[in-house]
Amino acid sequence: MAKLAHDHTAEDCVELVTIFQNLSETDLETVATLVTDHHYKSGEYLFTAGDAADSLLILAHGQAKVFQMAANGKEQMLRILQTGDFDGEAALFANSDHNSFAQALMDTDVCQISRQDFQKLMQETPELAVNMVNALGRRVAQLEQQTTEVTTSSVESRLANYLLETSAGLDKTVFTLPLKKKDIATYLGTTPETISRKLTSLAKQGMIQKISNNEFKILNADRLMMID
Amino acid sequence: MAKLAHDHTAEDCVELVTIFQNLSETDLETVATLVTDHHYKSGEYLFTAGDAADSLLILAHGQAKVFQMAANGKEQMLRILQTGDFDGEAALFANSDHNSFAQALMDTDVCQISRQDFQKLMQETPELAVNMVNALGRRVAQLEQQTTEVTTSSVESRLANYLLETSAGLDKTVFTLPLKKKDIATYLGTTPETISRKLTSLAKQGMIQKISNNEFKILNADRLMMID
DNA sequence: CGATCTGTTGATCTCGCTCAACGTAAGTGG
DNA sequence: CCACTTACGTTGAGCGAGATCAACAGATCG
């Protein structure tokens, strides 16, 4: 496990994160002064439902899952935060509480900006606000996609897509699943058992190859794409 | 049916629409000059998948449904646009095509602003950008909710929630469903047959009362809320 | 090394989808 | 205004994808 060599987390945020792209040097320095940073160990919660949502979180390093809990106790994964992603848009528009949970999947560095500071920053830095609108626009599109897929296509199809996307994201045909199957299951709106079965089934059909427990190889991307 | 008396659509947009709230008089006048307006008859499409998405649409008057079409031909309703709502955030961040459809459910007036003009406007008017961020934040929260509900709770529960929300939105316990059951079905990720059955079932259980074909009365909101 | 968590496999059940037939409204043109 | 067409809605019967329950097998970890 690589040790975090330096405590440059604030600068990391500012540099790494897409919403701060294209800002002037001076603006970036201002941002850096407003940011506070936190470290979370794997398994710790960045926030839980009911917490006051009064700041924007930016993931400087690591990985975290964001999920909601339904009334019946079932989890629904909403997204995986990767380095450079942010969350807490709920924080931006009103005094409200989080309705979701965020849990670190590995050791993770997070930067925070308070709602107040961030709103002020947007007023003073239109580029930032525009970047923010763009980022949220993408987020909306991604969520619409997720909603549509979950309700219109089969688990097998959703899993196939997930494998393809993961593979594409890592730019490898042989890749390690970044999530536990339990989490993949709630992400795809299904159960671990079903994931297990479908992976076996896809392997039997020769579309993927199981290398190790959570390492897979895409053998036939075209057929995976065609699953209804 | 009220006749649209005047062609003040551009001003209507600017006045009605939440994202233009809090703007100065001069800013509002600028906005009004950039807006073009269109009228659509019930059933006409505001845009379809594949169209170039190069402008923001604001619904000045009427109602429209936005939906995606899955590979297998199934519709998934994403949302209903009401007076004051906007769509086309995809248009805001890149040259891209629409991946969804928008169809007028009644006679509808729509205002458009081109991506270029709108981006420029946001640069010059930070308040607008901040409003936009807030509106998109709300949208994200709503979509996360929809995704979670669709995957974690039963059709009966989703339908019950839909009835409660609709009733609450209209502020009446006796209310007319604003959508055809076909559309409610795709909104809730199910089929018309199932909607029909579940409505009958809820009525039999005494939680709602069927007044006419698409008029209903909430009899027991508490029990409706409790359905898992 | 036990203990706890995650994954696999099998057996069973059930919700809601599909297909089909029919009823009801709503528009269209004579 | 009524016959005709075309959409929408309802009801029934049957089926199937996937959830659930349960038992076991690896992993992971203190």
Side-chain angles (χ1 to χ4, degrees), chain B residues 51-64:
Chain B
D51 284 4
D54 54 8
S55 58
L56 185 77
L57 300 187
I58 300 163
L59 210 142
H61 180 86
Q63 200 177 43

Side-chain angles (χ1 to χ4, degrees), chain B residues 113-210:
Chain B
I113 305 184
S114 73
R115 169 172 55 240
Q116 217 177 355
D117 288 344
F118 193 76
Q119 293 259 11
K120 194 154 152 260
L121 208 59
M122 283 199 291
Q123 295 278 1
E124 292 161 0
T125 321
E127 291 87 358
L128 171 60
V130 171
N131 286 346
M132 199 61 197
V133 168
N134 290 344
L136 285 171
R138 260 183 282 268
R139 190 76 208 300
V140 166
Q142 180 259 321
L143 275 166
E144 288 180 345
Q145 192 57 44
Q146 189 179 356
T147 306
T148 301
E149 268 199 26
V150 159
T151 57
T152 56
S153 48
S154 68
V155 169
E156 194 158 309
S157 162
R158 280 176 266 156
L159 177 58
N161 271 334
Y162 176 77
L163 293 173
L164 288 169
E165 279 166 22
T166 305
S167 162
L170 301 169
D171 200 24
K172 293 176 185 167
T173 49
V174 181
F175 60 95
T176 306
L177 291 176
L179 291 180
K180 292 177 189 155
K181 296 198 181 140
K182 201 178 131 189
D183 288 328
I184 298 177
T186 76
Y187 182 61
L188 298 178
T190 181
T191 59
E193 291 96 324
T194 300
I195 292 287
S196 183
R197 285 186 239 274
K198 293 298 177 188
L199 279 173
T200 310
S201 159
L202 289 177
K204 262 185 197 147
Q205 293 173 63
M207 302 191 211
I208 62 172
Q209 187 186 341
K210 184 172 177 171

